[in-house]
Amino acid sequence: MERENELVDLIDIIGKFQFLVIKTLKYFIPIFILVTALVCTITNKRFVKTYESEVSFAVSREKAGKISYGENVKACDEIFGDNASALTSELMKKTLCNELNEKTLPAKIQAVRIGKTNLFTVKITGRSPEKVEKVMAAFLDNYSKVFRIAMIDADLEIVQEAGMAATVAGRPPYVENVKKSSIVLLVAYFIIMCAYVLLHRTINTEEDVKKHLRSYCLGTLPYVRSAKKGLYPIISHDNSRFHEMKESVSAVRRRIEREAKKSGYKTFVVASSMEGEGSSTISANLAISFSEKGYRTLLLDLDLRKPSQFKNLGLSGDAFDSSTIFDVEMKGYHAPQSSNLDVICTETPSQQALEILTSPNMEEWIAALKKLYDFVIIDTSPVLLVEDAVVLSRVADRCIFVVEQTHVMISDICQAYEMIQQSTGNILGCIL
């Protein structure tokens, strides 16, 4: 049984990782492009061409009046052994500086032996081809003198003359640097995703709703970004972008409709644990969906601390009704989205929201509205921020709990859900 639970948890983590990768891929791609462009810019800025000139030598040494290959190799061993520093020694550098009248050598000297033979190559590299050629010329004029001073018993014969200084790095290493940065970026992305999945435990699927909240999931609504700035995502828009959302809202509405017919429910509070989970959007779309079905529907915006429905639904014109509760003027409008939809809301936030919602007249007012409409959808403030939603859930027939995927920690969602459940126990279900 424990192994089955561990397997389920592993599958759950993998599923969340895949979901998060799919959701964040649209952000990762432009970041990757931006980093690639930045790496290329830095590579180009830091790149400096280097030039190289080289000359090849053969080492020989006479012993007992004879020259043998073995003795030549042994002499080369000595040059690259105890006396290896002679070719690139301070003595050599000082001699070349004096020859060129320079304080420091304007190029780098490197000696490379060719295998285990008696051949080696001296390479002069630097940023200026003219200076590389000058250093090479000075080296060829003075290497024998330095060898005599260093008491190296060997003769050097040039087997390949030094040519003109040529570039050894003709273009910036864009490909190499982009490969390295891509690997670092992908590893960092993978680590961040893993850490987020393991540490930021959220509700992502209907199975998560059943597992953590032990609640019925009324449905999952897709996230739709409006094509135009300021266009509120409501299903009444004649826009193909909202077609999938309209179908999903209709499916949720049908489930609520069935429960309403069985139990006579008419008033529903739409609540969420934290701000930004879409409860106001869902409230508006559910109200529109009910009204388009032919039901006389009221959308009641009781998020008095941050009212939004007046602006979101584009309400205007004269109100058909107006009443003042404490310092808040609530106005009724016929919504332009549907002839069967009315909206009661305020444009001005109130600091006395809790006093208004807990007043004796509030329950009577909602009960009176319930008689005038087939369905009353109530938009309210987040549960964990203020008590408004808990108070209203006692007045309404049922509460619909909204959860945005990957947005809020499971512990916070469970806390908000339990607050309503313990207060009234009348949660109808959840919407993802």
Side-chain angles (χ1 to χ4, degrees):
M1 190 66 179
E2 289 181 1
R3 288 184 178 180
E4 290 181 1
N5 291 336
E6 289 177 0
L7 182 60
V8 170
D9 288 340
L10 181 60
I11 293 173
D12 181 53
I13 289 172
I14 293 173
K16 288 179 179 178
F17 183 83
Q18 291 176 338
F19 175 83
L20 196 60
V21 168
I22 292 171
K23 190 173 181 180
T24 58
L25 196 59
K26 59 184 177 183
Y27 302 109
F28 176 78
I29 291 174
I31 290 174
F32 177 81
I33 295 172
L34 183 64
V35 169
T36 300
L38 185 63
V39 168
C40 290
T41 302
I42 294 174
T43 300
N44 185 65
K45 189 175 181 180
R46 291 184 175 180
F47 176 74
V48 178
K49 282 187 176 182
T50 55
Y51 296 85
E52 181 181 270
S53 179
E54 63 179 45
V55 60
S56 298
F57 291 92
V59 181
S60 62
R61 182 165 60 188
E62 184 178 331
K63 187 175 183 181
K66 296 182 180 180
I67 297 176
S68 66
Y69 178 73
E71 190 63 30
N72 294 345
V73 171
K74 191 180 293 184
C76 195
D77 289 339
E78 293 175 6
I79 293 174
F80 283 87
D82 296 337
N83 299 307
S85 60
L87 294 167
T88 58
S89 65
E90 290 299 321
L91 176 61
M92 178 67 78
K93 292 177 183 178
K94 187 176 180 180
T95 302
L96 296 181
C97 286
N98 291 336
E99 179 77 12
L100 298 169
N101 293 319
E102 298 277 357
K103 290 184 178 179
T104 57
L105 198 63
K108 181 181 178 182
I109 305 175
Q110 183 181 12
V112 181
R113 186 177 181 182
I114 302 174
K116 292 186 178 181
T117 66
N118 65 325
L119 302 175
F120 69 88
T121 299
V122 173
K123 298 179 180 181
I124 310 292
T125 56
R127 296 181 180 181
S128 168
E130 294 81 9
K131 290 185 178 181
V132 167
E133 291 177 4
K134 286 182 179 180
V135 172
M136 176 59 76
F139 178 83
L140 294 176
D141 290 340
N142 290 276
Y143 74 86
S144 57
K145 180 172 69 175
V146 172
F147 266 45
R148 286 196 301 273
I149 296 173
M151 294 185 294
I152 298 174
D153 183 18
D155 295 321
L156 299 183
E157 179 184 354
I158 297 176
V159 295
Q160 183 178 338
E161 295 284 348
M164 293 181 63
T167 178
V168 294
R171 62 181 183 83
Y174 294 117
V175 176
E176 296 81 356
N177 290 351
V178 168
K179 282 182 180 179
K180 292 177 183 178
S181 65
S182 299
I183 292 171
V184 172
L185 189 62
L186 286 170
V187 170
Y189 177 73
F190 181 79
I191 292 173
I192 291 171
M193 291 299 101
C194 289
Y196 189 88
V197 169
L198 294 174
L199 301 177
H200 191 81
R201 305 299 299 276
T202 62
I203 287 179
N204 298 313
T205 64
E206 294 187 10
E207 289 300 318
D208 291 338
V209 172
K210 295 175 184 177
K211 178 181 177 181
H212 298 288
L213 300 180
R214 296 180 177 84
S215 177
Y216 173 62
C217 188
L218 295 168
T220 301
L221 304 185
Y223 174 76
V224 178
R225 184 184 292 275
S226 299
K228 297 179 181 178
K229 187 176 181 180
L231 183 64
Y232 193 60
I234 54 177
I235 58 176
S236 60
H237 290 310
D238 186 17
N239 192 316
S240 59
R241 296 170 67 91
F242 299 105
H243 178 72
E244 183 184 356
M245 185 178 183
K246 185 172 184 177
E247 292 298 318
S248 301
V249 171
S250 297
V252 173
R253 187 254 306 153
R254 286 192 292 269
R255 293 187 180 102
I256 298 173
E257 198 176 356
R258 285 196 295 268
E259 291 295 325
K261 287 180 179 178
K262 287 192 297 182
S263 308
Y265 302 145
K266 297 182 72 174
T267 57
F268 299 91
V269 170
V270 180
S272 62
S273 55
M274 297 294 287
E275 193 174 5
E277 293 193 76
S279 58
S280 295
T281 303
I282 291 173
S283 299
N285 284 310
L286 279 176
I288 293 170
S289 184
F290 275 113
S291 66
E292 289 180 344
K293 185 67 175 177
Y295 293 107
R296 182 78 174 142
T297 308
L298 172 67
L299 175 60
L300 184 56
D301 188 356
L302 290 181
D303 185 357
L304 301 179
R305 302 170 194 273
K306 197 175 181 180
S308 60
Q309 298 297 356
F310 181 86
K311 179 181 178 181
N312 293 340
L313 297 178
L315 302 177
S316 60
D318 296 330
F320 67 80
D321 187 25
S322 178
S323 59
T324 301
I325 308 174
F326 283 78
D327 64 337
V328 178
E329 185 179 14
M330 303 293 292
K331 293 182 179 181
Y333 297 89
H334 297 300
Q337 288 77 17
S338 172
S339 58
N340 292 316
L341 177 60
D342 290 338
V343 182
I344 296 179
C345 60
T346 181
E347 298 179 59
T348 309
S350 173
Q351 300 301 319
Q352 294 180 290
L354 190 58
E355 289 83 350
I356 296 170
L357 298 177
T358 55
S359 65
N361 295 333
M362 179 57 66
E363 188 171 352
E364 296 175 6
W365 184 46
I366 293 178
L369 293 173
K370 185 177 178 180
K371 295 177 182 179
L372 300 175
Y373 295 92
D374 297 317
F375 289 99
V376 178
I377 308 297
I378 304 173
D379 183 21
T380 186
S381 304
V383 177
L384 294 182
L385 299 184
V386 287
E387 297 180 48
D388 301 4
V390 176
V391 171
L392 287 170
S393 66
R394 301 190 191 112
V395 179
D397 294 326
R398 282 294 180 266
C399 178
I400 298 170
F401 195 73
V402 175
V403 178
E404 183 180 356
Q405 294 164 304
T406 73
H407 185 68
V408 183
M409 297 285 285
I410 288 177
S411 57
D412 293 332
I413 295 171
C414 291
Q415 181 185 351
Y417 187 89
E418 287 298 320
M419 287 173 66
I420 296 177
Q421 190 72 4
Q422 290 174 6
S423 177
T424 61
N426 64 356
I427 296 178
L428 179 64
C430 296
I431 297 177
L432 281 176

